[in-house]
Amino acid sequence: MSGLAGLLDDVRGRMRRHVDRVAGVAYREGMLYVAGLARGDMGAAFEVVFLENVMLQAATDEWQQAVAEKTASLLARKGWSDVRVVYAMDESDVETIETSLPMTTSADETKRMAHFEAARLLHSEPASFFSALMQASDGGQAVSVLEKERAEALARAFDAAGIALWGISAPEASFHLLCEGRALSWDGCRLPIADGLLDSDDAFHGWDESFSYALYGAILMVKALPVKGRVFPLQRVELSGWAYGRAALAVAAVWLVALLVVSAADAYSWYVARREAEQSAAELALLYGDTQRMEDARAENAWMDAQEQALRQLTDERSPAAAVLVHLGTQNADGVCLDDITLQQGKPVELKGRAVTFDALSSYVQGFERDRAFFPDGPLLRDSTRPDGDEAGTVVFSMELRWGKEQGDADGGT
């Protein structure tokens, strides 16, 4: 099975899986048989949940109404008023024709061919009957035909009783379900029986083989068992000929291919647009990063220029003390504390202070060694001792610094 026909079969299969309950009905020899099938918990397989049979004597010309009304009464008593129903007719109510059909690629095509082949052999209009295709005993095909007028009369009776007739079946005389403990069996397959129908010995003992007919159509419609047989879904036959069916199928296939092509083109365009948008976003992110770094560098340079200009202004002012003090503030080291600063015109700067260790003092002195631009002669460490010879005590130091302004003044005075 392939193409559009396969897609339609898949959709129909999904619709069947959405059916949770179905009732089968049969009227035989003055008895009405009603059987209910329902899915188990959590969408499990179908199982038989109830079996009811009652006597029903109906006039020959009113049997459809009597069957529909009694069925509605039994279903309402079970709480199954809104449920799909499949009615089983006697095998004598349908006509079966054995034929040989060519192999096709689709089950739907084979059924259409069988329908029009039956119309040709019966000299009837294709729209005047329902048909069902099944395997014949000799390995060929058999087409069963149900008059549309008879099916519609039965559907009107059920509709008047408030029941939707889903389909009609015609069980073969050889179809008999066997009751084996907790399940009904047929040809190696098993249909479970709900716990509510079982007796104390975990088995069902009230089985009547006539229920096989009632269950037959319901089993076929929901595929509860892999049984092939005669079932007629009550759907209108809208086919006027084999050529029309092929043409409609071809048009539908072309339309589907065109839709797929357009969808693929739209998907590709969307993919290209998305890639372009992602690439543009990445480029913008890189550009933003570069711009941000440039702004940061520009701000840092401006800050350094401002600091240099402020220091230059302080150096050029009449009072050199401010420039020296500001410059001393830029030289510091961890563990060093200044106790006294002596600054006199024309003399070196004298610093006195304490250091926690000689290493800390050394770091402090090296800072002035590197600052030859302001202290061209470097620092002169005059004293660095620990009071009272305490090896673990604070280091007391004193040092001199000759700075540029003071040096210039001294040179100018000589």
Side-chain angles (χ1 to χ4, degrees), residues 282-317:
E283 293 175 353
L284 287 175
L286 292 175
L287 180 60
Y288 174 78
D290 293 339
T291 303
Q292 189 65 35
R293 284 189 290 271
M294 291 175 61
E295 292 292 338
D296 293 342
R298 188 179 294 111
E300 184 176 358
N301 292 335
W303 181 84
M304 293 177 64
D305 291 342
Q307 295 297 317
E308 184 178 354
Q309 183 178 1
L311 183 60
R312 190 182 306 111
Q313 290 176 352
L314 287 173
T315 304
D316 294 338
E317 289 178 353

Short mmCIF file of all heavy atoms in Angstrom, two decimals, residues 282-317:
data_model
loop_
_atom_site.label_atom_id
_atom_site.label_comp_id
_atom_site.label_asym_id
_atom_site.label_seq_id
_atom_site.Cartn_x
_atom_site.Cartn_y
_atom_site.Cartn_z
N ALA A 282 25.95 37.71 14.92
CA ALA A 282 27.33 37.43 15.34
C ALA A 282 28.25 38.60 14.97
O ALA A 282 29.12 39.00 15.76
CB ALA A 282 27.81 36.14 14.69
N GLU A 283 28.08 39.15 13.76
CA GLU A 283 28.91 40.28 13.35
C GLU A 283 28.66 41.50 14.22
O GLU A 283 29.58 42.22 14.60
CB GLU A 283 28.62 40.61 11.88
CG GLU A 283 29.09 39.52 10.90
CD GLU A 283 28.70 39.83 9.47
OE1 GLU A 283 27.95 40.82 9.27
OE2 GLU A 283 29.12 39.09 8.56
N LEU A 284 27.39 41.74 14.56
CA LEU A 284 27.07 42.87 15.43
C LEU A 284 27.68 42.68 16.81
O LEU A 284 28.15 43.64 17.44
CB LEU A 284 25.55 43.03 15.55
CG LEU A 284 24.84 43.59 14.31
CD1 LEU A 284 23.33 43.58 14.52
CD2 LEU A 284 25.31 45.03 14.04
N ALA A 285 27.69 41.43 17.30
CA ALA A 285 28.28 41.15 18.61
C ALA A 285 29.78 41.44 18.59
O ALA A 285 30.33 42.05 19.52
CB ALA A 285 28.02 39.70 19.01
N LEU A 286 30.48 41.03 17.50
CA LEU A 286 31.91 41.32 17.40
C LEU A 286 32.16 42.82 17.30
O LEU A 286 33.08 43.36 17.94
CB LEU A 286 32.49 40.62 16.16
CG LEU A 286 32.54 39.08 16.21
CD1 LEU A 286 33.03 38.53 14.88
CD2 LEU A 286 33.45 38.62 17.34
N LEU A 287 31.34 43.51 16.49
CA LEU A 287 31.50 44.96 16.35
C LEU A 287 31.27 45.66 17.67
O LEU A 287 31.98 46.61 18.04
CB LEU A 287 30.54 45.48 15.27
CG LEU A 287 30.59 46.99 14.99
CD1 LEU A 287 31.99 47.38 14.51
CD2 LEU A 287 29.55 47.36 13.94
N TYR A 288 30.27 45.20 18.41
CA TYR A 288 29.98 45.81 19.72
C TYR A 288 31.15 45.61 20.67
O TYR A 288 31.53 46.51 21.43
CB TYR A 288 28.71 45.20 20.31
CG TYR A 288 28.42 45.69 21.72
CD1 TYR A 288 27.85 46.93 21.93
CD2 TYR A 288 28.74 44.89 22.81
CE1 TYR A 288 27.59 47.39 23.22
CE2 TYR A 288 28.49 45.33 24.10
CZ TYR A 288 27.91 46.58 24.30
OH TYR A 288 27.67 47.02 25.57
N GLY A 289 31.77 44.40 20.63
CA GLY A 289 32.92 44.15 21.50
C GLY A 289 34.08 45.06 21.17
O GLY A 289 34.72 45.63 22.07
N ASP A 290 34.38 45.22 19.86
CA ASP A 290 35.47 46.11 19.46
C ASP A 290 35.18 47.55 19.87
O ASP A 290 36.07 48.28 20.36
CB ASP A 290 35.67 46.04 17.94
CG ASP A 290 36.19 44.67 17.51
OD1 ASP A 290 36.75 43.96 18.37
OD2 ASP A 290 36.04 44.33 16.32
N THR A 291 33.95 47.99 19.66
CA THR A 291 33.57 49.36 20.02
C THR A 291 33.72 49.58 21.53
O THR A 291 34.20 50.63 21.98
CB THR A 291 32.12 49.64 19.58
OG1 THR A 291 32.01 49.41 18.18
CG2 THR A 291 31.73 51.07 19.89
N GLN A 292 33.30 48.59 22.29
CA GLN A 292 33.38 48.71 23.74
C GLN A 292 34.84 48.80 24.20
O GLN A 292 35.18 49.60 25.08
CB GLN A 292 32.69 47.52 24.41
CG GLN A 292 32.53 47.65 25.92
CD GLN A 292 31.61 48.79 26.31
OE1 GLN A 292 30.64 49.06 25.62
NE2 GLN A 292 31.92 49.47 27.40
N ARG A 293 35.70 47.97 23.59
CA ARG A 293 37.12 48.02 23.96
C ARG A 293 37.74 49.36 23.60
O ARG A 293 38.57 49.91 24.34
CB ARG A 293 37.87 46.87 23.27
CG ARG A 293 37.61 45.50 23.93
CD ARG A 293 38.53 44.45 23.37
NE ARG A 293 38.20 44.12 21.99
CZ ARG A 293 37.33 43.17 21.65
NH1 ARG A 293 36.71 42.49 22.58
NH2 ARG A 293 37.10 42.91 20.37
N MET A 294 37.36 49.92 22.45
CA MET A 294 37.86 51.24 22.06
C MET A 294 37.40 52.31 23.04
O MET A 294 38.18 53.20 23.43
CB MET A 294 37.39 51.58 20.65
CG MET A 294 38.04 50.72 19.54
SD MET A 294 37.35 51.08 17.92
CE MET A 294 37.79 52.79 17.75
N GLU A 295 36.17 52.26 23.47
CA GLU A 295 35.65 53.23 24.42
C GLU A 295 36.39 53.12 25.75
O GLU A 295 36.73 54.12 26.39
CB GLU A 295 34.15 53.02 24.63
CG GLU A 295 33.29 53.36 23.41
CD GLU A 295 33.30 54.86 23.13
OE1 GLU A 295 33.58 55.64 24.05
OE2 GLU A 295 33.04 55.24 21.97
N ASP A 296 36.64 51.87 26.19
CA ASP A 296 37.37 51.67 27.46
C ASP A 296 38.78 52.23 27.36
O ASP A 296 39.28 52.89 28.30
CB ASP A 296 37.42 50.19 27.81
CG ASP A 296 36.03 49.63 28.13
OD1 ASP A 296 35.12 50.45 28.42
OD2 ASP A 296 35.86 48.39 28.09
N ALA A 297 39.49 51.95 26.23
CA ALA A 297 40.85 52.45 26.06
C ALA A 297 40.87 53.98 26.01
O ALA A 297 41.75 54.63 26.60
CB ALA A 297 41.47 51.88 24.79
N ARG A 298 39.87 54.56 25.33
CA ARG A 298 39.80 56.02 25.24
C ARG A 298 39.57 56.64 26.62
O ARG A 298 40.18 57.65 26.99
CB ARG A 298 38.68 56.42 24.28
CG ARG A 298 38.66 57.92 23.98
CD ARG A 298 37.54 58.26 23.00
NE ARG A 298 37.78 57.68 21.70
CZ ARG A 298 37.05 56.68 21.19
NH1 ARG A 298 36.05 56.18 21.90
NH2 ARG A 298 37.32 56.20 19.99
N ALA A 299 38.71 56.02 27.42
CA ALA A 299 38.45 56.54 28.76
C ALA A 299 39.69 56.43 29.65
O ALA A 299 40.01 57.35 30.43
CB ALA A 299 37.27 55.79 29.38
N GLU A 300 40.41 55.30 29.54
CA GLU A 300 41.62 55.12 30.34
C GLU A 300 42.70 56.13 29.96
O GLU A 300 43.38 56.71 30.83
CB GLU A 300 42.15 53.69 30.16
CG GLU A 300 43.35 53.37 31.04
CD GLU A 300 43.79 51.93 30.90
OE1 GLU A 300 43.12 51.17 30.14
OE2 GLU A 300 44.79 51.55 31.55
N ASN A 301 42.88 56.37 28.67
CA ASN A 301 43.87 57.35 28.23
C ASN A 301 43.51 58.76 28.70
O ASN A 301 44.39 59.55 29.10
CB ASN A 301 43.99 57.34 26.70
CG ASN A 301 44.61 56.05 26.18
OD1 ASN A 301 45.36 55.39 26.90
ND2 ASN A 301 44.30 55.69 24.95
N ALA A 302 42.21 59.06 28.66
CA ALA A 302 41.79 60.39 29.12
C ALA A 302 42.07 60.55 30.60
O ALA A 302 42.51 61.62 31.06
CB ALA A 302 40.30 60.58 28.83
N TRP A 303 41.86 59.48 31.38
CA TRP A 303 42.12 59.56 32.82
C TRP A 303 43.61 59.75 33.09
O TRP A 303 44.01 60.55 33.93
CB TRP A 303 41.62 58.27 33.49
CG TRP A 303 41.83 58.28 34.98
CD1 TRP A 303 41.02 58.82 35.93
CD2 TRP A 303 42.93 57.69 35.68
NE1 TRP A 303 41.54 58.62 37.17
CE2 TRP A 303 42.72 57.93 37.06
CE3 TRP A 303 44.07 57.00 35.26
CZ2 TRP A 303 43.61 57.50 38.03
CZ3 TRP A 303 44.95 56.59 36.24
CH2 TRP A 303 44.73 56.82 37.61
N MET A 304 44.44 59.01 32.38
CA MET A 304 45.88 59.14 32.57
C MET A 304 46.36 60.54 32.16
O MET A 304 47.22 61.14 32.84
CB MET A 304 46.61 58.08 31.75
CG MET A 304 46.36 56.66 32.23
SD MET A 304 47.17 55.41 31.20
CE MET A 304 48.88 55.82 31.49
N ASP A 305 45.80 61.09 31.07
CA ASP A 305 46.18 62.43 30.66
C ASP A 305 45.80 63.45 31.72
O ASP A 305 46.55 64.41 32.00
CB ASP A 305 45.51 62.78 29.33
CG ASP A 305 46.07 61.96 28.17
OD1 ASP A 305 47.18 61.40 28.33
OD2 ASP A 305 45.39 61.87 27.12
N ALA A 306 44.61 63.27 32.31
CA ALA A 306 44.17 64.20 33.35
C ALA A 306 45.08 64.14 34.56
O ALA A 306 45.42 65.17 35.17
CB ALA A 306 42.72 63.89 33.73
N GLN A 307 45.48 62.91 34.94
CA GLN A 307 46.37 62.77 36.09
C GLN A 307 47.72 63.41 35.81
O GLN A 307 48.31 64.09 36.66
CB GLN A 307 46.56 61.28 36.41
CG GLN A 307 45.29 60.59 36.88
CD GLN A 307 44.77 61.17 38.18
OE1 GLN A 307 45.54 61.45 39.10
NE2 GLN A 307 43.47 61.40 38.24
N GLU A 308 48.24 63.19 34.61
CA GLU A 308 49.54 63.77 34.26
C GLU A 308 49.49 65.29 34.23
O GLU A 308 50.40 65.99 34.69
CB GLU A 308 49.98 63.23 32.90
CG GLU A 308 51.37 63.70 32.49
CD GLU A 308 51.81 63.11 31.17
OE1 GLU A 308 51.06 62.24 30.64
OE2 GLU A 308 52.88 63.48 30.67
N GLN A 309 48.39 65.83 33.69
CA GLN A 309 48.25 67.28 33.64
C GLN A 309 48.14 67.87 35.04
O GLN A 309 48.72 68.92 35.33
CB GLN A 309 47.01 67.64 32.81
CG GLN A 309 46.81 69.14 32.63
CD GLN A 309 45.60 69.46 31.77
OE1 GLN A 309 44.91 68.55 31.33
NE2 GLN A 309 45.36 70.73 31.53
N ALA A 310 47.38 67.17 35.92
CA ALA A 310 47.26 67.68 37.30
C ALA A 310 48.61 67.68 38.00
O ALA A 310 48.97 68.62 38.73
CB ALA A 310 46.25 66.83 38.07
N LEU A 311 49.40 66.62 37.78
CA LEU A 311 50.72 66.54 38.40
C LEU A 311 51.66 67.62 37.87
O LEU A 311 52.42 68.24 38.61
CB LEU A 311 51.31 65.15 38.16
CG LEU A 311 52.67 64.87 38.80
CD1 LEU A 311 52.59 65.01 40.32
CD2 LEU A 311 53.15 63.47 38.43
N ARG A 312 51.55 67.87 36.56
CA ARG A 312 52.38 68.91 35.96
C ARG A 312 52.04 70.28 36.51
O ARG A 312 52.92 71.11 36.78
CB ARG A 312 52.22 68.88 34.44
CG ARG A 312 53.23 69.77 33.70
CD ARG A 312 53.00 69.76 32.21
NE ARG A 312 52.98 68.41 31.67
CZ ARG A 312 51.91 67.81 31.19
NH1 ARG A 312 50.74 68.48 31.17
NH2 ARG A 312 51.96 66.59 30.73
N GLN A 313 50.73 70.53 36.69
CA GLN A 313 50.31 71.81 37.23
C GLN A 313 50.81 71.99 38.65
O GLN A 313 51.26 73.07 39.05
CB GLN A 313 48.78 71.93 37.19
CG GLN A 313 48.22 72.08 35.79
CD GLN A 313 46.70 72.10 35.78
OE1 GLN A 313 46.07 71.85 36.81
NE2 GLN A 313 46.14 72.40 34.62
N LEU A 314 50.75 70.93 39.44
CA LEU A 314 51.24 71.03 40.82
C LEU A 314 52.74 71.26 40.84
O LEU A 314 53.27 71.98 41.70
CB LEU A 314 50.90 69.74 41.59
CG LEU A 314 49.42 69.57 41.97
CD1 LEU A 314 49.20 68.19 42.58
CD2 LEU A 314 48.98 70.65 42.94
N THR A 315 53.48 70.67 39.91
CA THR A 315 54.93 70.82 39.88
C THR A 315 55.33 72.24 39.49
O THR A 315 56.31 72.79 40.00
CB THR A 315 55.53 69.83 38.89
OG1 THR A 315 55.13 68.51 39.25
CG2 THR A 315 57.05 69.89 38.89
N ASP A 316 54.54 72.83 38.60
CA ASP A 316 54.89 74.17 38.13
C ASP A 316 54.41 75.27 39.05
O ASP A 316 54.68 76.45 38.81
CB ASP A 316 54.29 74.39 36.73
CG ASP A 316 54.94 73.45 35.71
OD1 ASP A 316 56.07 72.99 35.99
OD2 ASP A 316 54.30 73.19 34.67
N GLU A 317 53.64 74.97 40.06
CA GLU A 317 53.13 76.00 40.96
C GLU A 317 54.27 76.57 41.82
O GLU A 317 55.34 75.98 41.97
CB GLU A 317 52.03 75.42 41.84
CG GLU A 317 50.76 75.14 41.07
CD GLU A 317 49.70 74.51 41.99
OE1 GLU A 317 50.03 74.21 43.14
OE2 GLU A 317 48.56 74.34 41.52
#
